[in-house]
Each structure stands twice: as C-alpha cells, then as structure tokens.
Amino acid sequence: MEGKEEDVRLGANKFNERQPLGTAAQSQDDKDYKEPPPAPLFEPGELTSWSFYRAGIAEFMATFLFLYITVLTVMGVVKDPTKCTTVGIQGIAWAFGGMIFALVYCTAGISGGHINPAVTFGLFLARKLSLTRAVFYMLMQCLGAICGAGVVKGFYGKTRYEVLNGGANMVNPGYTKGDGLGAEIVGTFVLVYTVFSATDAKRSARDSHVPILAPLPIGFAVFLVHLATIPITGTGINPARSLGAAIIFNRDKAWDDHWIFWVGPFIGAALAALYHQVVIRAIPFKKMAAMEMQTVLQFAPSSSSTLSAKVHPLVIFNICDCYVRRPDQAERVIGTLLGSVLPDGTVDIRNSYAVPHNESSEQVALDIDYHHNLLLSHQKVNPKEVIVGWYSTGLGVTGGSALIHDFYSREVPNPIHLTVDTGFSNGEGTIKAYVSVNLSLGDRPLAAQFQEVPLDLRMVEAERIGFDVLKTTMVDKIPSDLEGMEISMQRLLALIDDVYKYVDDVVEGHTAPDNNIGRFISDTVASLPKLSPPVFDKLVNGNVQDHLLLLYLSSITRTQLSLAEKLNTAAQIL
C-alpha cells in the first residue's frame, strides 16, 4: 500500500486552521508564508490560561538574569581605575549582546523573548500581542530587573555599590539631555527594527534565501548599539534595565535623567513599528488593496444551477456495506462513483466501489493503482459505465474533500461528490450531492466552494423496505414477505389518502392547482390495470394463499429436520 500510494499527498497545510473546512478550500497563493492575524486588544481568556502566567514568569527570570550578568559586568569594569585590566567597553557590549542572544533563544518559544518593555511596546503597537499581555510582560520585566540589580548590590555591599553608581544609566558629562534622548531613540529604533525583521513571517518562507536564527541578529544589534552609546548614556534602550538599577541605587543623579530612559526607548520602538509595518511591509496598503479586490471576486460560471444527479439504491447499499467492512482504524470510506450522463444532463449514478486510503490530520493518501485496476475490471463487465464522481461517508463535506475532489477532477470533468450519512442520525440517512465551483480573482483561481445539487433517490417498494430496515439501528429480524406486503399496503393507503386530500383541497379552492402534480397523478392512475373488484380480490387472495402455503411447507420442513436431529442424537446415545 505504501508503495502504491500516488504522489498525490493531500496535506493539511493547504487549509487555514480557522477556515470552515469543506465549504471553501483555500488554494495555493503566490506567497509561501502566512501573516498571523492581529492580536485582540483585550483577551479575557488569557487570564485563565497557565501559558499566560508561564510566559510572564519566563520574562521575569530572563530579565533577572540579564540584569545580574550585565550590571555585574559594568560594576567590574567601573571598579578598576584602569580599563586595561578589565574587559572594557567592548566587554560590556559583549555581555549585553551575548545575554540577549542566549536569553531570547531560551525564552522565545515560551514568551517570545522580549526581556525589554520597549520591545514589548513596539510589538503591541504592531498588534503582535494583546494589551493584557503587554502590560503583564512589562510588569514582570521590571520586577525581574529590580531583583537582578538587588542581587548585584548584595555581592558588592551598600557602600561599594553606591560608590560605583550601581550600574545606573545617566547622561555622561559633556553631553546634553537632548543628546541622551536622541541616542536612546536611535538605539532603540535599531534594536526594535531588528526584532521585527528577524521575526518577520517572510523569514520562515519556503524559498527564503536567508536562513536566519532570530536571537543572533537581535543580540548583535544590542552589542553594536552599546558600543556606540555607552559613552553617552551608558546605553539604556531597555526601560526595565534602567529602572531596576535606578531603584536599587536610589540616588538623585540616577533619577534626574531617568525619564530619558523611558521616553527615548518608547519613541524609538514606536518609530520602528511604524517603519516596519507601514513602509517595509505596507500592511495598511495591503488591507486597502484586499478590500478593493473583494469587489472583483467572482465565482467561475458553472452548470451547478441546472445539474442534477440520480442515484440507484444499490449504490447506497454498497456504500453502507463498504463502511461496515472498513478497517478498524478508518473513520470513513472513500470510493469512486460509476454511471453515465443522461441526454438531459442528469448524472445517473448506478455503481460504486471503495478506494483504500490513509487519512490523518496532516494528509490523505489514495491507493491510485487499486482505483485504476478496479475501474478496468468494472468496464470489462459494463463498458458504458464511466467515472462520474466520488463518494465519502459521513455528514457533509470535510477538510480533505477539496483535495480529493481535485484528484477526481483530473479523472472526469465536473465530478459529483456524494456524501452518505452512514450513522443515520435521527433515524434518517442524509444523502447529498455536491459539485465544486471555483472562486477566482480575475484570471487567477483562489479557492473552491462546494454547492449542493438536486439528488433524486427513487426506489421500488422492495428496495424501500430494505432501506428502512437499514436505517434502523437495531432490528430483531428481517421482515417476511407478508410483513413487507403489509408495510407496503399501509404506505400505499397513506399515499392514496394524501392524494385524495390534495384533490379535495384543489377542488374546494383551498390549495392552488399545480399542473405538474396533476399530470403525475393522471399518469399514475392511467398506468393501473383495469380490473374489476372481484378479479382484484381473487388475484390478491391467490397471492396470499401462495405465501401461506410456502410458510406452511417451510414450517413442516423445519419440524422434520428438528425431529431427525433429535432421533440421531438419541441413536448415538443408545
């Protein structure tokens, strides 16, 4: 089976998870990446989710470790009078950039690895996360920074910590507050713009020529910004880092310029979000173009409005039999429909056979060799039967229906898709027929939609009795001929009563006359044989007597067989 399955692997990636499956299957687009939907402003469900609080804890721990390593590195450089014996400015920059690289790598899969209120603010403006999550992240980042700086103060002691300025950010002598604000704006812009670019959906595109590890460019951007701006402000670009060091140091000179390390990063983050979303990605313009394109979306012309299908009851019995005999792990049965197209365009479905398949949440694979071999066998017996469509058990179309339908569209133009509810919900076997209609944008096909078409299921009385038995979940026995005749007569009398009532209502003016119904009643009455009541009674009674005689003979036969069996048993004992 594995070797015979066609390279038609029907993947689940062809469908959007939020799309109603089976109603409009998405086709391949030009791009091979998907834009995530914008996050809601407020999402109450987050507050009851453990993953929400786990992400906050991850941000707390990451910011705690970030402040611990970086402030400790800064203090180690500042405490020596000569920088030759320390790692120097380059070492500080490497400490900040390296920690961001490591911590983003560790926490990206949990919280996104922000570790910076400015990054969180920029992503919030771009609708990458909700306001609830953004505020919670910023709070946890600030708490983590305070704890990290506090641990460093515990190592150095209060006196030495205050002498070394506690690693707090301040505008250095020789620079104005405007210089410091500008440095923070530009530095944060570089960082947040790098974050947007490194986490862009295009970076995970199938044909992207730049395979990228997001934490690496983010950490490198932090390294470069620190090399440039440590002489000006000590490099903030992270309000939580500046707040944690300022609170633990808690001297006026740390608070005098502290506003710069909030206003500057937030302005830089906002500018980076605006630049990336509007200029680089042009998302607002894409939305406007999508709204304009909605006016030209159209369904391709189809004959579904006039197309109809007629299915023979034996096809339904065959499908139900295949469903009962299906493998234990299979949830449904898929198969091919055979028949012909009548002169009036009606699809006449007269035969079917099941096609083995493997189905999972990710793919559906059909055994195409088996399908073609069985088709050849059927056509040897009846060459006039051709493929007219395919069927599946279950209620309505499902997620993989569009892909399977696409395969049968290569076998026959405009195939019929028949669905049979083998569960017989509410005691009724829902049987529907569909055709696929393409949705296009100009000359480019976008999607396919299944439209239901009229389905004619006509049965003779014996077939109807069998179908009624099939719909019953559990039966004690199959009805006998007499019981079947009784059921048929009761149904016939009910239909005659309905016809009488309809004719009386039309004559009395209660119901508008319908010429089609009138002709059908007239043809039905004309088709009945002209028999006198005595002749009809004799015919029915003779038929009943024949059935009774058969029942009597079968009863005698069963009795004789039972006696013979008991006599044989007694003889063996003796």
Side-chain angles (χ1 to χ4, degrees):
M1 177 90 177
E2 290 291 333
K4 293 183 179 180
E5 288 166 358
E6 192 199 39
D7 52 351
V8 180
R9 288 280 177 174
L10 312 177
N13 291 335
K14 208 169 183 180
F15 294 97
N16 191 324
E17 187 178 352
R18 297 188 177 184
Q19 184 179 4
L21 297 178
T23 56
Q26 181 183 356
S27 64
Q28 285 285 2
D29 202 348
D30 289 339
K31 59 187 181 181
D32 52 2
Y33 64 94
K34 293 182 180 180
E35 291 286 355
L41 185 64
F42 179 72
E43 196 167 4
E46 289 183 323
L47 300 178
T48 59
S49 171
W50 163 242
S51 62
F52 175 76
Y53 297 100
R54 181 185 63 181
I57 295 172
E59 288 293 312
F60 172 87
M61 285 301 300
T63 316
F64 168 80
L65 295 174
F66 177 66
L67 263 289
Y68 168 72
I69 295 296
T70 56
V71 173
L72 204 59
T73 304
V74 171
M75 299 287 284
V77 172
V78 173
K79 70 182 179 67
D80 286 339
T82 174
K83 301 299 183 286
C84 295
T85 59
T86 65
V87 295
I89 291 180
Q90 292 86 352
I92 294 175
W94 275 118
F96 277 88
M99 281 303 293
I100 288 295
F101 169 73
L103 294 172
V104 171
Y105 181 83
C106 293
T107 60
I110 302 173
S111 64
H114 297 188
I115 322 171
N116 187 336
V119 172
T120 302
F121 180 69
L123 294 175
F124 165 70
L125 293 180
R127 301 294 301 277
K128 304 293 185 182
L129 70 163
S130 64
L131 177 61
T132 312
R133 188 173 290 265
V135 173
F136 183 55
Y137 278 11
M138 292 181 188
L139 177 62
M140 298 301 286
Q141 289 159 1
C142 291
L143 290 176
I146 294 170
C147 293
V151 171
V152 175
K153 182 177 181 179
F155 284 167
Y156 273 86
K158 181 178 180 181
T159 303
R160 293 182 64 196
Y161 187 83
E162 292 178 356
V163 170
L164 300 175
N165 293 329
N169 289 121
M170 294 171 282
V171 178
N172 292 324
Y175 295 96
T176 65
K177 293 183 178 180
D179 298 333
L181 181 62
E184 289 296 308
I185 292 175
V186 175
T188 311
F189 178 90
V190 172
L191 169 61
V192 177
Y193 176 47
T194 305
V195 170
F196 274 109
S197 299
T199 59
D200 197 320
K202 283 186 175 180
R203 295 295 182 186
S204 60
R206 182 183 63 246
D207 299 325
S208 176
H209 61 283
V210 185
I212 198 162
L213 179 64
L216 181 59
I218 296 173
F220 198 65
V222 172
F223 166 72
L224 294 176
V225 171
H226 275 74
L227 284 182
T229 58
I230 283 178
I232 304 175
T233 61
T235 308
I237 67 170
N238 187 334
R241 174 257 188 274
S242 302
L243 178 66
I247 287 179
I248 299 301
F249 181 53
N250 198 24
R251 290 293 182 267
D252 291 340
K253 57 182 178 180
W255 294 112
D256 290 342
D257 302 330
H258 187 69
W259 64 272
I260 293 175
F261 303 99
W262 281 89
V263 175
F266 273 42
I267 293 176
L271 292 176
L274 183 68
Y275 175 69
H276 183 268
Q277 298 293 98
V278 176
V279 179
I280 301 300
R281 297 304 308 278
I283 289 180
F285 303 105
K286 290 180 181 178
K287 291 181 179 179
M288 293 173 60
M291 294 177 63
E292 294 175 357
M293 286 191 297
Q294 288 176 357
T295 60
V296 298
L297 290 176
Q298 58 184 358
F299 283 101
S302 170
S303 59
S304 61
S305 58
T306 59
L307 185 66
S308 62
K310 182 170 67 174
V311 59
H312 195 275
L314 289 178
V315 175
I316 307 301
F317 296 149
N318 186 27
I319 293 173
C320 293
D321 181 64
C322 292
Y323 179 76
V324 172
R325 299 171 185 270
R326 75 192 189 279
D328 294 337
Q329 68 274 14
E331 296 183 357
R332 63 171 180 163
V333 177
I334 295 171
T336 303
L337 299 175
L338 300 176
S340 60
V341 180
L342 302 179
D344 61 354
T346 302
V347 179
D348 186 18
I349 305 171
R350 303 192 62 84
N351 207 343
S352 67
Y353 59 85
V355 177
H357 74 286
N358 290 331
E359 187 171 7
S360 66
S361 59
E362 298 180 353
Q363 66 179 10
V364 179
L366 301 177
D367 191 342
I368 306 303
D369 288 343
Y370 179 91
H371 159 69
H372 287 152
N373 292 334
L374 205 56
L375 175 62
L376 292 175
S377 300
H378 275 272
Q379 289 183 334
K380 287 179 180 179
V381 177
N382 193 343
K384 294 183 179 180
E385 287 187 353
V386 297
I387 297 177
V388 294
W390 66 286
Y391 73 82
S392 66
T393 59
L395 191 59
V397 293
T398 59
S401 296
L403 297 168
I404 303 173
H405 197 84
D406 180 66
F407 164 72
Y408 278 94
S409 297
R410 300 195 296 269
E411 300 281 311
V412 60
N414 201 20
I416 292 288
H417 175 34
L418 187 72
T419 62
V420 181
D421 178 18
T422 49
F424 292 97
S425 304
N426 301 321
E428 295 294 331
T430 304
I431 304 170
K432 293 184 178 181
Y434 301 89
V435 293
S436 178
V437 180
N438 291 327
L439 175 65
S440 61
L441 175 60
D443 296 332
R444 185 178 66 180
L446 294 181
Q449 183 182 46
F450 286 98
Q451 291 186 355
E452 187 176 353
V453 297
L455 180 65
D456 185 9
L457 177 60
R458 296 187 182 182
M459 309 179 187
V460 299
E461 197 60 35
E463 293 167 341
R464 184 175 296 278
I465 293 172
F467 189 71
D468 290 342
V469 173
L470 189 64
K471 289 192 298 184
T472 307
T473 306
M474 182 179 297
V475 294
D476 296 330
K477 63 175 183 175
I478 297 176
S480 63
D481 291 341
L482 288 177
E483 292 171 341
M485 181 183 294
E486 181 182 1
I487 295 172
S488 301
M489 294 302 297
Q490 291 175 353
R491 186 180 290 112
L492 179 60
L493 290 174
L495 291 174
I496 293 174
D497 290 339
D498 291 339
V499 172
Y500 269 121
K501 185 176 183 304
Y502 172 77
V503 173
D504 291 340
D505 289 342
V506 171
V507 172
E508 296 174 2
H510 299 311
T511 302
D514 189 321
N515 293 333
N516 293 329
I517 297 178
R519 292 192 190 95
F520 185 80
I521 294 174
S522 177
D523 293 340
T524 303
V525 173
S527 64
L528 296 175
K530 295 181 179 180
L531 299 175
S532 61
V535 174
F536 182 78
D537 289 343
K538 182 180 179 180
L539 182 64
V540 173
N541 290 331
N543 193 13
V544 170
Q545 289 175 1
D546 291 341
H547 282 293
L548 290 175
L549 181 60
L550 287 174
L551 290 174
Y552 176 70
L553 292 175
S554 63
S555 177
I556 291 176
T557 303
R558 283 195 299 269
T559 302
Q560 290 178 343
L561 291 173
S562 177
L563 288 173
E565 183 179 358
K566 290 180 179 179
L567 290 174
N568 289 332
T569 304
Q572 291 175 0
I573 293 175
L574 294 175

